[in-house]
Amino acid sequence: GLGDVYKRQARFYVSVVIKMVLSHLLLDYDFKLENPTAAPFLTFGKVRVPSPFMTLLVRKRSTGSRV
């Protein structure tokens, strides 16, 4: 039916918006781990999950340092 056409259009639109947001973040902000030597994952048996104790430091770049 016609529902499939709208689903495809919405999926395309969302993928474009996500790419725009990600590119804005990567171009305008600096990212750094607070403690880069800490273990990034916790392991529970065969399952690895990101550590909830990791801290990501985010800083807005100065206006002249855009890539």
Side-chain angles (χ1 to χ4, degrees):
L2 289 176
D4 293 335
V5 173
Y6 295 119
K7 288 179 194 175
R8 283 191 295 257
Q9 290 174 351
R11 209 173 308 147
F12 173 76
Y13 175 74
V14 169
S15 71
V16 169
V17 170
I18 288 173
K19 289 175 190 176
M20 287 174 25
V21 169
L22 184 60
S23 65
H24 170 70
L25 290 172
L26 292 175
L27 288 173
D28 292 341
Y29 292 88
D30 289 325
F31 299 94
K32 183 174 129 179
L33 290 175
E34 185 177 45
N35 184 4
T37 60
F41 295 100
L42 297 177
T43 304
F44 300 104
K46 294 184 180 181
V47 179
R48 284 179 38 170
V49 294
S51 174
F53 307 110
M54 294 294 288
T55 303
L56 181 65
L57 302 174
V58 180
R59 178 181 67 170
K60 187 164 178 67
R61 291 185 183 177
S62 59
T63 57
S65 66
R66 193 164 194 182
V67 177

